[in-house]
Amino acid sequence: MRIALLAPLPPEQNGIADYAGHLKHALENLGVQVDTPLQGIGNDPRQAEKRVEDTDWSGIDLVHAELGGGRLAEFQALRALRKRFPDLPLTATVHDPERLVWRREKLPWPLSIASGMRSPLPEIATVLADPLCLHEERQLARSMTRLVTLTRAGGQSLRQRMGLKESQMAVISHGNLAIEPAPLPPLQPLRLLYFGFIYRGKGIEDLLDALARVFVTQPELRSQVRLTLAGGSEPEMAFGPSGSYLDQLRLRIRQLGLSDLIDWQLDLPADQIATVIQAHHVMVLPYRESSKLKILGKLRGTSGALSWATACGRGVITSDARSFAEEVSHGNGMIYPQGDVAALASALSRICTAPDKAIQWAENAMQMGKARVWSQTAERFRDVFRQACEVD
């Protein structure tokens, strides 16, 4: 089988590029030939359309795309392909259901006039243009042969919002690397870990505030807990109009009196990620859903960081954002209401006072990890691809 993969790929630093890189490698290990016709263009929808026009598609059995992360190049390429080849099998992993892309490349005139104006006019224009964006998403989604989501909740929300048939849907859990199991470190001190890209909107402030609240009510726990903030800190993510986000986090840590309890592991090399995760007991993901996106729909994706916890055999405490509740329903962690600092503090207090919970969470996560290794995940994708090629 020869497929074309439309996706960002390493060395681009984002979760979808990592995902696509692992999927490509695992499919090739199964004997699938994988072409990457969009490689090198970045997130440029116009360049994507030109690549579609310039590429020889005659030997391609199926085209598979990775959609999400605010990218539009793959979406536009799929639209161009469907227009040019009505019968070509097209599939995609939708990382951010219940929508495919959530926004258009450009606002239509006259709403486009608001693009350069002061807030909130651009945001209002985006909302007013959303029916057109949703129409374009539905038009493409309904023409797709198969759409893959990482969770059942994501699949249900995508199917309902896009108006899809059950036969178009497939659920394949987020793949993960085959990581050699490692025992938990000694339970004293309890080592908590935030892992992921470090930028605004990840709820990291909630985690810091919750930890400080735990020590106010239970000061005896202060000597029994440490928190590591680890992950990518690319300048385009960590800097914004209000300055350096990392500097703001460090200031907040000092103000909360946590400086002696926080460790940093920024911009981890890929070959050190598993070692860092397994040096901790529990990963904490305090994500909040974007208030802007709530106007446009419900985000029901999952998380690459959560997949890393599973791969490394570590439990998680996470908010109920996205589809996290489904991913932490296997006895591998605890859920709390997103944005509820008191509830997060309570969850942290429970694991700190009963650290043995981390042992059971880790065992269950390890079993999940074994079932989700990329070699098996790629086999599930290959089955979906074969079925898609058989559709009349």
Side-chain angles (χ1 to χ4, degrees):
M1 175 181 285
R2 182 183 174 196
I3 74 166
L5 176 63
L6 310 181
L9 290 164
E12 290 191 51
Q13 291 195 11
N14 60 73
I16 295 180
D18 292 341
Y19 179 98
H22 292 311
L23 176 60
K24 178 179 182 291
H25 180 70
L27 287 170
E28 289 172 336
N29 284 343
L30 294 177
V32 178
Q33 183 178 344
V34 182
D35 294 359
T36 55
L38 300 188
Q39 192 161 7
I41 68 166
N43 186 23
D44 187 332
R46 302 283 76 79
Q47 282 293 317
E49 291 177 353
K50 189 174 188 307
R51 286 286 178 92
V52 169
E53 183 179 343
D54 295 343
T55 299
D56 179 6
W57 300 92
S58 58
I60 299 295
D61 298 306
L62 173 143
V63 177
H64 180 75
E66 302 295 331
L67 296 176
R71 293 180 59 92
L72 291 165
E74 293 77 22
F75 179 74
Q76 289 300 116
L78 286 174
R79 294 184 73 198
L81 279 166
R82 180 49 79 220
K83 183 177 180 179
R84 184 174 171 187
F85 303 109
D87 299 322
L88 178 65
L90 299 181
T91 65
T93 310
V94 182
H95 290 266
D96 299 326
E98 60 184 6
R99 303 280 293 265
L100 299 186
V101 289
W102 294 82
R103 65 184 180 92
R104 300 186 83 241
E105 178 191 6
K106 295 180 180 178
L107 295 175
W109 190 88
L111 294 174
S112 57
I113 298 172
S115 298
M117 296 182 179
R118 299 180 64 176
S119 182
L121 292 176
E123 291 82 359
I124 293 172
T126 297
V127 172
L128 292 174
D130 187 57
L132 176 58
C133 179
L134 184 59
H135 169 75
E136 293 170 347
E137 289 176 284
R138 284 174 171 162
Q139 190 176 47
L140 176 62
R142 292 170 185 176
S143 76
M144 297 289 289
T145 317
R146 291 286 188 278
L147 289 169
V148 177
T149 57
L150 306 179
T151 64
R152 292 186 301 275
Q156 291 167 358
S157 65
L158 180 70
R159 181 188 173 195
Q160 182 176 4
R161 191 70 188 275
M162 296 292 108
L164 304 173
K165 301 175 183 176
E166 180 66 34
S167 60
Q168 290 177 271
M169 309 303 298
V171 177
I172 302 177
S173 297
H174 197 305
N176 57 250
L177 297 173
I179 305 295
E180 189 68 26
L184 288 169
L187 293 177
Q188 292 282 345
L190 187 74
R191 297 187 178 275
L192 305 174
L193 171 69
Y194 167 86
F195 172 69
F197 289 105
I198 297 177
Y199 55 86
R200 295 170 180 83
K202 289 298 189 82
I204 299 172
E205 297 90 344
D206 288 349
L207 174 54
L208 297 174
D209 292 347
L211 191 61
R213 185 176 295 202
V214 169
F215 298 146
V216 169
T217 58
Q218 296 172 285
E220 69 278 7
L221 293 178
R222 188 177 181 86
S223 63
Q224 302 175 28
V225 184
R226 293 198 68 83
L227 169 66
T228 300
L229 301 178
S233 61
E234 283 297 289
E236 64 267 22
M237 298 178 186
F239 288 83
S242 55
S244 166
Y245 180 57
L246 292 177
D247 287 347
Q248 291 171 19
L249 283 181
R250 291 187 175 103
L251 175 61
R252 195 182 193 102
I253 288 167
R254 291 196 299 272
Q255 291 172 337
L256 292 171
L258 298 176
S259 298
D260 59 322
L261 303 178
I262 306 294
D263 300 309
W264 294 84
Q265 291 275 356
L266 297 179
D267 303 319
L268 281 176
D271 59 359
Q272 295 181 24
I273 291 175
T275 301
V276 168
I277 294 174
Q278 290 180 329
H280 294 78
H281 300 94
V282 177
M283 187 181 291
V284 186
L285 299 176
Y287 290 14
R288 287 188 178 205
E289 293 175 7
S290 166
S291 58
K292 295 178 182 178
L293 284 181
K294 286 180 181 179
I295 300 174
L296 307 178
K298 298 177 181 178
L299 186 62
R300 288 292 176 261
T302 181
S303 159
L306 194 51
S307 176
W308 269 106
T310 301
C312 293
R314 293 298 181 263
V316 292
I317 295 173
T318 179
S319 73
D320 60 359
R322 307 188 186 184
S323 290
F324 290 171
E326 181 177 328
E327 292 288 81
V328 190
S329 64
H330 307 276
N332 59 315
M334 186 187 308
I335 291 287
Y336 74 93
Q338 60 178 302
D340 190 334
V341 173
L344 176 54
S346 176
L348 294 176
S349 176
R350 288 165 64 186
I351 190 64
C352 291
T353 54
D356 286 351
K357 286 181 180 291
I359 299 174
Q360 187 61 54
W361 290 355
E363 290 175 353
N364 291 332
M366 183 175 64
Q367 295 305 314
M368 290 173 63
K370 290 179 179 178
R372 294 183 176 189
V373 292
W374 273 113
S375 57
Q376 295 186 38
T377 301
E379 289 181 4
R380 298 184 184 107
F381 270 100
R382 184 181 59 181
D383 291 343
V384 168
F385 296 162
R386 287 173 174 170
Q387 294 165 9
C389 289
E390 294 170 359
V391 173
D392 293 329

